[in-house]
Amino acid sequence: MQTMHMPKWISYAVGYVFLASGTLKLVSSDFKATFMNLGLPSPETMLLLVALTEIACSAFILARLYVRHAAAPLILIILGALYLTKLPILMNQGFLQFAFDARLDIVMLILLILLWQHKPAKQL
């Protein structure tokens, strides 16, 4: 039985999460309201840009093409999400609520950093 390498599993997990997240941002009206409340300039445009970036980058990661390049914009999106949506929870509701609400963001950030730092072995 052939074993699967860890970077492939990480790619599939990260790709799945961001593909689902980006797609949901395009079809769910809840995200539009969320982006409006963040105080960002042009929230509808930002929502579209984030959703399309998540979908495109996740497709590259799932296909295992340009993984390092695709991980970088997703790292920025996760950092922005943590800053804009989770940091206020830390400040207003405390660490435990922050730790619970930010759990997926933090795991995805760690996995994205692992993908970004990974140097694939040379193929023979």
Side-chain angles (χ1 to χ4, degrees), residues 61-81:
I61 289 172
L62 284 168
R64 311 252 314 126
L65 298 170
Y66 308 106
V67 172
R68 184 178 168 97
H69 292 96
L74 296 178
I75 290 171
L76 292 175
I77 287 172
I78 282 289
L79 289 173

Side-chain angles (χ1 to χ4, degrees), residues 84-105:
L84 292 170
T85 64
K86 302 309 186 290
L87 191 59
I89 293 170
L90 177 63
M91 299 304 189
N92 298 322
Q93 298 176 20
F95 179 76
L96 288 178
Q97 189 63 48
F98 165 80
F100 180 78
D101 289 349
R103 67 194 183 280
L104 180 61
D105 299 42

Side-chain angles (χ1 to χ4, degrees), residues 1 13 19 45 58 66 85 118:
M1 182 167 141
L19 183 61
T45 304
S58 67
Y66 308 106
T85 64
H118 179 71

Side-chain angles (χ1 to χ4, degrees), residues 4 10 16 18 28 41 48 51 53-55 61-62 74 83-85 87 92 97 99 101 107-108 112 114-115:
M4 193 174 198
I10 293 172
Y16 168 76
F18 280 100
S28 174
L48 181 63
T53 301
E54 287 181 352
I55 291 169
I61 289 172
L62 284 168
L74 296 178
Y83 179 76
L84 292 170
T85 64
L87 191 59
N92 298 322
Q97 189 63 48
D101 289 349
V107 169
M108 285 296 108
L112 283 166
L114 289 174
L115 287 176

